Amino acid sequence: MKSLAVATFVVSLTLAPAVQAVVLFDGEVLPLGQTFDRPFVDGFDLGPSNQGVGFDAIPFEVSASGTYTFTTETFLLDDGVFWDGAILIYADVFDPEAPDSNLIAYEGVGGGTFDPTNVAVALDPDRPYVFVQAGVTSFDFGPYNGTVDGIGQLNFGHIPEPGTGLILTGVACLALCRRGG
């Protein structure tokens, strides 16, 4: 008589808890820098004061799908006044001429509260995003600092100032031409 052996396999899978990553960053919305007409969002429209609003735009990518919370705090300016900030998150590209296009998250404190601004948004890897720190109104600008808290790594990129790509290309061409190369 043949004996039948039955083997039992137990597979144990232990999932490590996801590591929360915190990224620190800072920047400045310049008084005479780039401007756009801040989008009309959530019934918060200030009329003409949301036109010509200064902003600082930084592209970024994330390494894992999940919710990321962006928090920024505005600094005290030299004249003793805080400024109200707004956070806007764009998928793919940010076009200051079409500020409603690709907007996926917005939070603007406004109303002179000067509290930190934060917005939580679900993001996916392999997709470019743009973080925009703006004033709530056209007279809100200055330095800020921030944190991003999320499930994966977040890598900020750099947006060159308008026209600098052409200038750098021209400088490189001049350098090569002078070297005879």
Side-chain angles (χ1 to χ4, degrees):
M1 187 179 277
K2 293 184 181 181
S3 77
L4 182 60
V6 177
T8 304
F9 293 95
V10 176
V11 176
S12 176
L13 179 62
T14 304
L15 298 175
V19 176
Q20 287 290 110
V22 176
V23 176
L24 305 174
F25 64 98
D26 59 18
E28 185 167 8
V29 175
L30 299 172
L32 300 175
Q34 303 176 76
T35 62
F36 74 133
D37 292 343
R38 190 183 45 71
F40 175 75
V41 181
D42 295 334
F44 189 64
D45 182 22
L46 300 172
S49 65
N50 74 335
Q51 298 171 1
V53 174
F55 69 88
D56 186 23
I58 309 168
F60 69 93
E61 292 179 342
V62 297
S63 65
S65 293
T67 299
Y68 292 77
T69 302
F70 293 77
T71 303
T72 60
E73 185 172 33
T74 61
F75 292 150
L76 185 65
L77 299 174
D78 291 339
D79 61 2
V81 178
F82 284 94
W83 60 281
D84 279 327
I87 297 173
L88 302 94
I89 306 294
Y90 289 86
D92 302 319
V93 296
F94 164 61
D95 180 359
E97 298 295 320
D100 292 320
S101 297
N102 303 319
L103 180 64
I104 59 171
Y106 170 87
E107 182 61 46
V109 176
T113 63
F114 311 112
D115 291 332
T117 304
N118 64 59
V119 63
V121 60
L123 303 173
D124 294 312
D126 302 321
R127 183 171 191 185
Y129 296 96
V130 180
F131 163 86
V132 175
Q133 175 69 48
V136 171
T137 66
S138 58
F139 48 86
D140 286 318
F141 56 85
Y144 66 91
N145 65 17
T147 61
V148 183
D149 187 9
I151 195 73
Q153 292 186 346
L154 183 137
N155 296 311
F156 281 115
H158 172 72
I159 295 179
E161 291 295 319
T164 56
L166 294 175
I167 292 169
L168 291 175
T169 303
V171 169
C173 180
L174 283 173
L176 285 174
C177 291
R178 285 188 177 173
R179 287 188 5 200

